[in-house]
Amino acid sequence: KMKLRCIAILNRQDIPVYMRSFDDAPSEESTVKYQYLAHTSVDVIEERMANAKSSSDLYLGLLQTVGELAIYGYVLNTGARILLVISVPESVVRSAAVREIFQQIHAGYIALICNPFNEGGKLVSSKFDLIINELGRVHAA
C-alpha cells in the first residue's frame, strides 16, 4: 500500500511555499530530505513541460524514484507545482489514486488563492491545513 510521506507546493519560481511532512517522527533531517527531493524534481518537471506540446493535462505522473520514495508531479495553470512524495515498498501505485490526491489539493489551493481575504497569495489557512491533514490521515497511515 502506498504511504504519503510529504506534500510540497512550489511557486512558479520553484520556491517552496508549502511543505507538510507525514513522517511518524518528523525531524530536521527529514525536512531537508524532502526539500532536496522537491528541488531535484524541478529539473524533471522543466524537462517534461518543455517536451509537452501544449498539453492540457496538469498531471505529470512519476517524476523520479529515490530508494523506496516515489515523487509525483502536478503543474497548475499558474505555473505553481504540487509534489507528492510517496513511500512505495515493492508495490504498484495506482495512477488514479495519485490523481485524486492532486485534484483534492488543487481544489483546496484554488479556494485559498481565490479568497479575496487571502493576504498576498500566502498558503496560510486553517481550511487548507484541514484538507492536507485529512489527506495525510487517509493516505499516510
Side-chain angles (χ1 to χ4, degrees):
K1 183 183 176 201
M2 74 172 191
K3 230 177 158 178
L4 187 58
R5 291 276 135 249
C6 178
I7 295 173
I9 300 176
L10 294 93
N11 65 16
R12 71 175 68 156
Q13 290 84 27
D14 302 321
I15 298 169
V17 292
Y18 188 90
M19 189 165 286
R20 173 75 166 84
S21 168
F22 299 103
D23 284 347
D24 296 330
S27 65
E28 188 175 329
E29 182 180 319
S30 68
T31 301
V32 170
K33 174 177 68 175
Y34 294 134
Q35 288 176 345
Y36 172 77
L37 291 172
H39 284 291
T40 58
S41 297
V42 167
D43 293 333
V44 180
I45 292 171
E46 294 295 333
E47 184 180 315
R48 293 244 180 112
M49 290 176 64
N51 293 334
K53 306 243 189 311
S54 69
S55 174
S56 62
D57 191 10
L58 303 174
Y59 177 67
L60 297 175
L62 179 65
L63 301 175
Q64 64 176 332
T65 57
V66 177
E68 67 175 36
L69 297 176
I71 298 89
Y72 288 81
Y74 190 91
V75 176
L76 307 180
N77 294 334
T78 61
R81 297 100 196 271
I82 303 172
L83 301 172
L84 296 182
V85 179
I86 298 173
S87 177
V88 285
E90 303 176 22
S91 67
V92 176
V93 176
R94 288 188 7 249
S95 185
V98 175
R99 277 182 188 266
E100 184 180 319
I101 295 170
F102 277 124
Q103 289 167 350
Q104 291 175 5
I105 297 168
H106 188 182
Y109 178 85
I110 289 172
L112 176 59
I113 294 301
C114 292
N115 182 345
F117 300 107
N118 184 28
E119 296 178 25
K122 294 180 182 171
L123 295 182
V124 178
S125 161
S126 57
K127 284 185 180 180
F128 187 71
D129 286 338
L130 280 174
I131 292 168
I132 298 300
N133 289 336
E134 180 62 16
L135 287 170
R137 187 187 67 75
V138 171
H139 299 286

Tab-separated table of all heavy atoms in Angstrom, residues 37-90:
chain	number	residue	atom	x	y	z
A	37	LEU	N	14.460	16.611	-2.354
A	37	LEU	CA	13.709	15.868	-3.367
A	37	LEU	C	12.835	16.799	-4.210
A	37	LEU	O	12.710	16.618	-5.420
A	37	LEU	CB	12.854	14.782	-2.708
A	37	LEU	CG	13.619	13.618	-2.087
A	37	LEU	CD1	12.677	12.714	-1.301
A	37	LEU	CD2	14.367	12.831	-3.149
A	38	ALA	N	12.251	17.804	-3.561
A	38	ALA	CA	11.435	18.771	-4.303
A	38	ALA	C	12.285	19.529	-5.312
A	38	ALA	O	11.901	19.687	-6.473
A	38	ALA	CB	10.758	19.743	-3.331
A	39	HIS	N	13.446	19.975	-4.883
A	39	HIS	CA	14.310	20.743	-5.788
A	39	HIS	C	14.876	19.896	-6.917
A	39	HIS	O	15.008	20.376	-8.039
A	39	HIS	CB	15.428	21.435	-5.007
A	39	HIS	CG	14.948	22.649	-4.270
A	39	HIS	ND1	14.550	23.798	-4.905
A	39	HIS	CD2	14.781	22.867	-2.947
A	39	HIS	CE1	14.163	24.677	-4.007
A	39	HIS	NE2	14.286	24.141	-2.813
A	40	THR	N	15.207	18.635	-6.636
A	40	THR	CA	15.724	17.788	-7.712
A	40	THR	C	14.614	17.417	-8.701
A	40	THR	O	14.900	17.132	-9.865
A	40	THR	CB	16.393	16.506	-7.167
A	40	THR	OG1	15.450	15.777	-6.390
A	40	THR	CG2	17.616	16.832	-6.339
A	41	SER	N	13.374	17.448	-8.255
A	41	SER	CA	12.252	17.144	-9.148
A	41	SER	C	11.944	18.289	-10.100
A	41	SER	O	11.343	18.077	-11.156
A	41	SER	CB	11.000	16.817	-8.324
A	41	SER	OG	11.221	15.670	-7.542
A	42	VAL	N	12.358	19.497	-9.743
A	42	VAL	CA	12.093	20.667	-10.585
A	42	VAL	C	12.699	20.492	-11.977
A	42	VAL	O	12.067	20.821	-12.982
A	42	VAL	CB	12.614	21.961	-9.910
A	42	VAL	CG1	12.631	23.121	-10.886
A	42	VAL	CG2	11.757	22.296	-8.706
A	43	ASP	N	13.911	19.944	-12.051
A	43	ASP	CA	14.550	19.735	-13.349
A	43	ASP	C	13.735	18.782	-14.219
A	43	ASP	O	13.589	19.004	-15.423
A	43	ASP	CB	15.970	19.184	-13.173
A	43	ASP	CG	16.904	20.182	-12.522
A	43	ASP	OD1	16.655	21.399	-12.659
A	43	ASP	OD2	17.872	19.754	-11.871
A	44	VAL	N	13.195	17.742	-13.614
A	44	VAL	CA	12.383	16.776	-14.359
A	44	VAL	C	11.103	17.449	-14.837
A	44	VAL	O	10.669	17.244	-15.977
A	44	VAL	CB	12.063	15.539	-13.482
A	44	VAL	CG1	11.223	14.535	-14.251
A	44	VAL	CG2	13.331	14.898	-12.965
A	45	ILE	N	10.500	18.269	-13.984
A	45	ILE	CA	9.275	18.992	-14.361
A	45	ILE	C	9.554	19.908	-15.545
A	45	ILE	O	8.795	19.934	-16.518
A	45	ILE	CB	8.725	19.806	-13.167
A	45	ILE	CG1	8.220	18.864	-12.084
A	45	ILE	CG2	7.629	20.757	-13.609
A	45	ILE	CD1	7.867	19.549	-10.780
A	46	GLU	N	10.649	20.670	-15.464
A	46	GLU	CA	11.002	21.592	-16.558
A	46	GLU	C	11.192	20.836	-17.871
A	46	GLU	O	10.742	21.283	-18.928
A	46	GLU	CB	12.274	22.373	-16.207
A	46	GLU	CG	12.123	23.322	-15.039
A	46	GLU	CD	11.148	24.459	-15.299
A	46	GLU	OE1	10.955	24.841	-16.468
A	46	GLU	OE2	10.571	24.957	-14.321
A	47	GLU	N	11.861	19.691	-17.789
A	47	GLU	CA	12.104	18.889	-18.989
A	47	GLU	C	10.798	18.370	-19.579
A	47	GLU	O	10.577	18.439	-20.785
A	47	GLU	CB	13.020	17.717	-18.621
A	47	GLU	CG	13.412	16.862	-19.805
A	47	GLU	CD	14.323	15.730	-19.383
A	47	GLU	OE1	15.277	15.978	-18.607
A	47	GLU	OE2	14.078	14.595	-19.829
A	48	ARG	N	9.912	17.872	-18.716
A	48	ARG	CA	8.619	17.350	-19.192
A	48	ARG	C	7.778	18.446	-19.815
A	48	ARG	O	7.113	18.237	-20.819
A	48	ARG	CB	7.849	16.716	-18.039
A	48	ARG	CG	8.472	15.486	-17.504
A	48	ARG	CD	7.605	14.260	-17.717
A	48	ARG	NE	8.279	13.108	-17.168
A	48	ARG	CZ	7.856	12.453	-16.103
A	48	ARG	NH1	6.773	12.830	-15.481
A	48	ARG	NH2	8.529	11.413	-15.677
A	49	MET	N	7.790	19.643	-19.196
A	49	MET	CA	6.984	20.743	-19.721
A	49	MET	C	7.543	21.245	-21.046
A	49	MET	O	6.788	21.646	-21.928
A	49	MET	CB	6.892	21.868	-18.689
A	49	MET	CG	6.052	21.470	-17.493
A	49	MET	SD	6.011	22.720	-16.204
A	49	MET	CE	5.210	24.061	-17.046
A	50	ALA	N	8.852	21.222	-21.206
A	50	ALA	CA	9.465	21.656	-22.457
A	50	ALA	C	9.138	20.683	-23.585
A	50	ALA	O	8.951	21.099	-24.741
A	50	ALA	CB	10.977	21.773	-22.287
A	51	ASN	N	9.046	19.396	-23.264
A	51	ASN	CA	8.764	18.379	-24.276
A	51	ASN	C	7.280	18.225	-24.567
A	51	ASN	O	6.914	17.667	-25.601
A	51	ASN	CB	9.352	17.027	-23.857
A	51	ASN	CG	10.868	17.050	-23.841
A	51	ASN	OD1	11.487	17.834	-24.558
A	51	ASN	ND2	11.456	16.213	-23.012
A	52	ALA	N	6.415	18.692	-23.650
A	52	ALA	CA	4.972	18.586	-23.859
A	52	ALA	C	4.512	19.686	-24.803
A	52	ALA	O	4.741	20.857	-24.561
A	52	ALA	CB	4.249	18.686	-22.525
A	53	LYS	N	3.895	19.285	-25.849
A	53	LYS	CA	3.394	20.253	-26.830
A	53	LYS	C	1.966	20.660	-26.452
A	53	LYS	O	1.017	19.966	-26.763
A	53	LYS	CB	3.410	19.624	-28.220
A	53	LYS	CG	4.764	19.061	-28.596
A	53	LYS	CD	5.310	19.784	-29.780
A	53	LYS	CE	6.545	19.185	-30.370
A	53	LYS	NZ	7.623	18.850	-29.494
A	54	SER	N	1.847	21.753	-25.763
A	54	SER	CA	0.558	22.327	-25.334
A	54	SER	C	-0.382	21.289	-24.727
A	54	SER	O	-1.538	21.210	-25.086
A	54	SER	CB	-0.131	23.053	-26.492
A	54	SER	OG	-0.573	22.131	-27.468
A	55	SER	N	0.126	20.509	-23.822
A	55	SER	CA	-0.706	19.513	-23.145
A	55	SER	C	-1.589	20.207	-22.118
A	55	SER	O	-1.138	21.070	-21.377
A	55	SER	CB	0.188	18.480	-22.466
A	55	SER	OG	-0.610	17.607	-21.690
A	56	SER	N	-2.844	19.808	-22.086
A	56	SER	CA	-3.752	20.397	-21.099
A	56	SER	C	-3.791	19.548	-19.827
A	56	SER	O	-4.439	19.926	-18.858
A	56	SER	CB	-5.153	20.518	-21.691
A	56	SER	OG	-5.644	19.231	-22.017
A	57	ASP	N	-3.110	18.404	-19.825
A	57	ASP	CA	-3.083	17.548	-18.646
A	57	ASP	C	-2.123	18.127	-17.614
A	57	ASP	O	-0.937	18.313	-17.885
A	57	ASP	CB	-2.659	16.129	-19.031
A	57	ASP	CG	-2.877	15.134	-17.904
A	57	ASP	OD1	-3.530	15.506	-16.897
A	57	ASP	OD2	-2.410	13.994	-18.031
A	58	LEU	N	-2.641	18.423	-16.454
A	58	LEU	CA	-1.828	19.014	-15.392
A	58	LEU	C	-1.003	17.965	-14.652
A	58	LEU	O	-0.018	18.291	-14.013
A	58	LEU	CB	-2.738	19.750	-14.401
A	58	LEU	CG	-3.628	20.844	-14.991
A	58	LEU	CD1	-4.585	21.383	-13.938
A	58	LEU	CD2	-2.807	21.951	-15.580
A	59	TYR	N	-1.418	16.703	-14.758
A	59	TYR	CA	-0.759	15.604	-14.051
A	59	TYR	C	0.482	15.171	-14.825
A	59	TYR	O	0.412	14.819	-15.998
A	59	TYR	CB	-1.744	14.446	-13.911
A	59	TYR	CG	-1.182	13.209	-13.267
A	59	TYR	CD1	-0.793	13.206	-11.932
A	59	TYR	CD2	-1.063	12.030	-13.992
A	59	TYR	CE1	-0.299	12.058	-11.337
A	59	TYR	CE2	-0.575	10.880	-13.399
A	59	TYR	CZ	-0.195	10.892	-12.079
A	59	TYR	OH	0.293	9.762	-11.493
A	60	LEU	N	1.634	15.209	-14.168
A	60	LEU	CA	2.887	14.831	-14.819
A	60	LEU	C	3.283	13.380	-14.544
A	60	LEU	O	4.178	12.858	-15.185
A	60	LEU	CB	4.021	15.756	-14.364
A	60	LEU	CG	3.860	17.223	-14.716
A	60	LEU	CD1	4.986	18.035	-14.096
A	60	LEU	CD2	3.813	17.417	-16.214
A	61	GLY	N	2.660	12.762	-13.567
A	61	GLY	CA	2.965	11.380	-13.245
A	61	GLY	C	4.226	11.255	-12.414
A	61	GLY	O	4.657	12.198	-11.750
A	62	LEU	N	4.835	10.080	-12.491
A	62	LEU	CA	6.044	9.788	-11.728
A	62	LEU	C	7.201	10.611	-12.275
A	62	LEU	O	7.515	10.550	-13.462
A	62	LEU	CB	6.377	8.297	-11.806
A	62	LEU	CG	7.639	7.843	-11.074
A	62	LEU	CD1	7.489	8.031	-9.566
A	62	LEU	CD2	7.938	6.388	-11.400
A	63	LEU	N	7.839	11.384	-11.407
A	63	LEU	CA	8.980	12.207	-11.807
A	63	LEU	C	10.290	11.477	-11.581
A	63	LEU	O	11.170	11.480	-12.427
A	63	LEU	CB	8.981	13.533	-11.043
A	63	LEU	CG	7.754	14.420	-11.220
A	63	LEU	CD1	7.838	15.628	-10.309
A	63	LEU	CD2	7.602	14.842	-12.670
A	64	GLN	N	10.423	10.877	-10.408
A	64	GLN	CA	11.658	10.165	-10.081
A	64	GLN	C	11.419	9.261	-8.881
A	64	GLN	O	10.456	9.428	-8.145
A	64	GLN	CB	12.801	11.142	-9.791
A	64	GLN	CG	12.591	12.018	-8.566
A	64	GLN	CD	13.790	12.889	-8.256
A	64	GLN	OE1	14.917	12.546	-8.565
A	64	GLN	NE2	13.547	14.027	-7.625
A	65	THR	N	12.321	8.290	-8.729
A	65	THR	CA	12.304	7.456	-7.533
A	65	THR	C	13.676	7.546	-6.877
A	65	THR	O	14.701	7.602	-7.556
A	65	THR	CB	11.996	5.979	-7.855
A	65	THR	OG1	12.958	5.503	-8.779
A	65	THR	CG2	10.605	5.811	-8.408
A	66	VAL	N	13.662	7.596	-5.563
A	66	VAL	CA	14.890	7.629	-4.777
A	66	VAL	C	14.704	6.618	-3.658
A	66	VAL	O	13.920	6.841	-2.737
A	66	VAL	CB	15.167	9.038	-4.205
A	66	VAL	CG1	16.408	9.032	-3.344
A	66	VAL	CG2	15.263	10.068	-5.310
A	67	GLY	N	15.388	5.483	-3.770
A	67	GLY	CA	15.184	4.416	-2.801
A	67	GLY	C	13.761	3.917	-2.915
A	67	GLY	O	13.293	3.588	-4.003
A	68	GLU	N	13.058	3.890	-1.786
A	68	GLU	CA	11.660	3.453	-1.834
A	68	GLU	C	10.686	4.632	-1.904
A	68	GLU	O	9.482	4.466	-1.744
A	68	GLU	CB	11.332	2.557	-0.638
A	68	GLU	CG	11.362	3.244	0.698
A	68	GLU	CD	10.899	2.331	1.829
A	68	GLU	OE1	11.175	1.139	1.788
A	68	GLU	OE2	10.255	2.864	2.747
A	69	LEU	N	11.206	5.819	-2.166
A	69	LEU	CA	10.360	7.007	-2.303
A	69	LEU	C	10.120	7.312	-3.779
A	69	LEU	O	11.048	7.319	-4.578
A	69	LEU	CB	11.006	8.208	-1.625
A	69	LEU	CG	11.223	8.112	-0.124
A	69	LEU	CD1	11.956	9.347	0.390
A	69	LEU	CD2	9.899	7.932	0.604
A	70	ALA	N	8.868	7.574	-4.107
A	70	ALA	CA	8.494	7.961	-5.463
A	70	ALA	C	7.948	9.383	-5.406
A	70	ALA	O	7.157	9.718	-4.530
A	70	ALA	CB	7.436	7.012	-6.018
A	71	ILE	N	8.377	10.227	-6.340
A	71	ILE	CA	7.946	11.618	-6.369
A	71	ILE	C	7.077	11.818	-7.602
A	71	ILE	O	7.502	11.545	-8.730
A	71	ILE	CB	9.147	12.598	-6.369
A	71	ILE	CG1	9.981	12.451	-5.090
A	71	ILE	CG2	8.652	14.039	-6.461
A	71	ILE	CD1	11.057	11.451	-5.169
A	72	TYR	N	5.849	12.302	-7.375
A	72	TYR	CA	4.888	12.553	-8.436
A	72	TYR	C	4.674	14.055	-8.562
A	72	TYR	O	4.762	14.778	-7.572
A	72	TYR	CB	3.549	11.871	-8.130
A	72	TYR	CG	3.602	10.367	-8.279
A	72	TYR	CD1	4.108	9.570	-7.261
A	72	TYR	CD2	3.175	9.756	-9.450
A	72	TYR	CE1	4.177	8.195	-7.399
A	72	TYR	CE2	3.242	8.381	-9.598
A	72	TYR	CZ	3.741	7.606	-8.570
A	72	TYR	OH	3.815	6.249	-8.709
A	73	GLY	N	4.370	14.516	-9.777
A	73	GLY	CA	4.221	15.944	-10.007
A	73	GLY	C	2.918	16.333	-10.668
A	73	GLY	O	2.292	15.538	-11.385
A	74	TYR	N	2.524	17.579	-10.417
A	74	TYR	CA	1.291	18.155	-10.945
A	74	TYR	C	1.565	19.645	-11.108
A	74	TYR	O	2.065	20.289	-10.183
A	74	TYR	CB	0.184	17.921	-9.914
A	74	TYR	CG	-1.230	18.225	-10.317
A	74	TYR	CD1	-2.027	17.243	-10.881
A	74	TYR	CD2	-1.791	19.467	-10.082
A	74	TYR	CE1	-3.356	17.493	-11.204
A	74	TYR	CE2	-3.116	19.728	-10.397
A	74	TYR	CZ	-3.897	18.739	-10.963
A	74	TYR	OH	-5.209	18.988	-11.269
A	75	VAL	N	1.280	20.197	-12.281
A	75	VAL	CA	1.554	21.612	-12.544
A	75	VAL	C	0.233	22.348	-12.708
A	75	VAL	O	-0.655	21.906	-13.444
A	75	VAL	CB	2.411	21.784	-13.823
A	75	VAL	CG1	2.608	23.252	-14.135
A	75	VAL	CG2	3.744	21.100	-13.663
A	76	LEU	N	0.096	23.467	-12.014
A	76	LEU	CA	-1.116	24.281	-12.113
A	76	LEU	C	-0.994	25.258	-13.277
A	76	LEU	O	0.104	25.536	-13.759
A	76	LEU	CB	-1.336	25.041	-10.807
A	76	LEU	CG	-1.340	24.202	-9.533
A	76	LEU	CD1	-1.569	25.077	-8.318
A	76	LEU	CD2	-2.383	23.117	-9.610
A	77	ASN	N	-2.110	25.790	-13.708
A	77	ASN	CA	-2.113	26.762	-14.813
A	77	ASN	C	-1.289	28.001	-14.489
A	77	ASN	O	-0.796	28.669	-15.388
A	77	ASN	CB	-3.544	27.170	-15.162
A	77	ASN	CG	-4.340	26.015	-15.723
A	77	ASN	OD1	-3.782	25.089	-16.292
A	77	ASN	ND2	-5.643	26.060	-15.537
A	78	THR	N	-1.140	28.307	-13.221
A	78	THR	CA	-0.380	29.488	-12.797
A	78	THR	C	1.123	29.252	-12.820
A	78	THR	O	1.903	30.170	-12.598
A	78	THR	CB	-0.766	29.878	-11.358
A	78	THR	OG1	-0.452	28.786	-10.498
A	78	THR	CG2	-2.238	30.228	-11.251
A	79	GLY	N	1.535	27.994	-13.035
A	79	GLY	CA	2.956	27.657	-13.008
A	79	GLY	C	3.401	27.078	-11.686
A	79	GLY	O	4.516	26.583	-11.566
A	80	ALA	N	2.531	27.135	-10.678
A	80	ALA	CA	2.863	26.508	-9.397
A	80	ALA	C	2.897	24.996	-9.590
A	80	ALA	O	2.269	24.460	-10.501
A	80	ALA	CB	1.833	26.885	-8.336
A	81	ARG	N	3.671	24.318	-8.744
A	81	ARG	CA	3.813	22.868	-8.864
A	81	ARG	C	3.468	22.218	-7.537
A	81	ARG	O	3.837	22.715	-6.478
A	81	ARG	CB	5.256	22.494	-9.209
A	81	ARG	CG	5.737	23.008	-10.545
A	81	ARG	CD	6.590	24.261	-10.380
A	81	ARG	NE	6.769	24.987	-11.625
A	81	ARG	CZ	7.745	24.773	-12.476
A	81	ARG	NH1	8.649	23.887	-12.215
A	81	ARG	NH2	7.808	25.459	-13.580
A	82	ILE	N	2.767	21.100	-7.612
A	82	ILE	CA	2.469	20.306	-6.426
A	82	ILE	C	3.239	19.009	-6.564
A	82	ILE	O	3.208	18.365	-7.615
A	82	ILE	CB	0.962	20.015	-6.298
A	82	ILE	CG1	0.148	21.309	-6.271
A	82	ILE	CG2	0.684	19.191	-5.038
A	82	ILE	CD1	-1.351	21.097	-6.341
A	83	LEU	N	3.924	18.636	-5.503
A	83	LEU	CA	4.691	17.393	-5.493
A	83	LEU	C	4.207	16.501	-4.361
A	83	LEU	O	3.930	16.982	-3.267
A	83	LEU	CB	6.183	17.677	-5.302
A	83	LEU	CG	6.841	18.558	-6.358
A	83	LEU	CD1	8.260	18.910	-5.940
A	83	LEU	CD2	6.850	17.860	-7.699
A	84	LEU	N	4.109	15.211	-4.650
A	84	LEU	CA	3.801	14.217	-3.633
A	84	LEU	C	4.996	13.294	-3.507
A	84	LEU	O	5.514	12.819	-4.518
A	84	LEU	CB	2.591	13.367	-4.027
A	84	LEU	CG	1.240	14.037	-4.172
A	84	LEU	CD1	0.183	12.986	-4.511
A	84	LEU	CD2	0.849	14.773	-2.923
A	85	VAL	N	5.417	13.053	-2.281
A	85	VAL	CA	6.452	12.057	-2.024
A	85	VAL	C	5.734	10.883	-1.365
A	85	VAL	O	5.084	11.039	-0.334
A	85	VAL	CB	7.559	12.596	-1.094
A	85	VAL	CG1	8.598	11.521	-0.830
A	85	VAL	CG2	8.203	13.835	-1.693
A	86	ILE	N	5.833	9.729	-2.026
A	86	ILE	CA	5.108	8.537	-1.590
A	86	ILE	C	6.094	7.412	-1.353
A	86	ILE	O	6.997	7.184	-2.159
A	86	ILE	CB	4.060	8.127	-2.655
A	86	ILE	CG1	3.044	9.247	-2.836
A	86	ILE	CG2	3.387	6.817	-2.284
A	86	ILE	CD1	2.071	9.030	-3.970
A	87	SER	N	5.908	6.713	-0.250
A	87	SER	CA	6.725	5.542	0.058
A	87	SER	C	6.056	4.340	-0.595
A	87	SER	O	4.882	4.069	-0.347
A	87	SER	CB	6.807	5.361	1.572
A	87	SER	OG	7.527	4.198	1.875
A	88	VAL	N	6.801	3.636	-1.460
A	88	VAL	CA	6.228	2.511	-2.193
A	88	VAL	C	7.129	1.278	-2.102
A	88	VAL	O	7.798	0.925	-3.048
A	88	VAL	CB	5.972	2.868	-3.675
A	88	VAL	CG1	4.776	3.745	-3.827
A	88	VAL	CG2	7.184	3.516	-4.302
A	89	PRO	N	7.141	0.625	-0.959
A	89	PRO	CA	7.961	-0.581	-0.855
A	89	PRO	C	7.338	-1.742	-1.621
A	89	PRO	O	6.331	-2.287	-1.203
A	89	PRO	CB	8.005	-0.853	0.653
A	89	PRO	CG	6.775	-0.220	1.181
A	89	PRO	CD	6.435	0.928	0.264
A	90	GLU	N	7.928	-2.060	-2.753
A	90	GLU	CA	7.541	-3.219	-3.566
A	90	GLU	C	6.080	-3.246	-3.968
A	90	GLU	O	5.481	-4.311	-4.100
A	90	GLU	CB	7.864	-4.514	-2.820
A	90	GLU	CG	9.306	-4.657	-2.435
A	90	GLU	CD	9.545	-5.906	-1.617
A	90	GLU	OE1	8.732	-6.839	-1.701
A	90	GLU	OE2	10.545	-5.934	-0.897
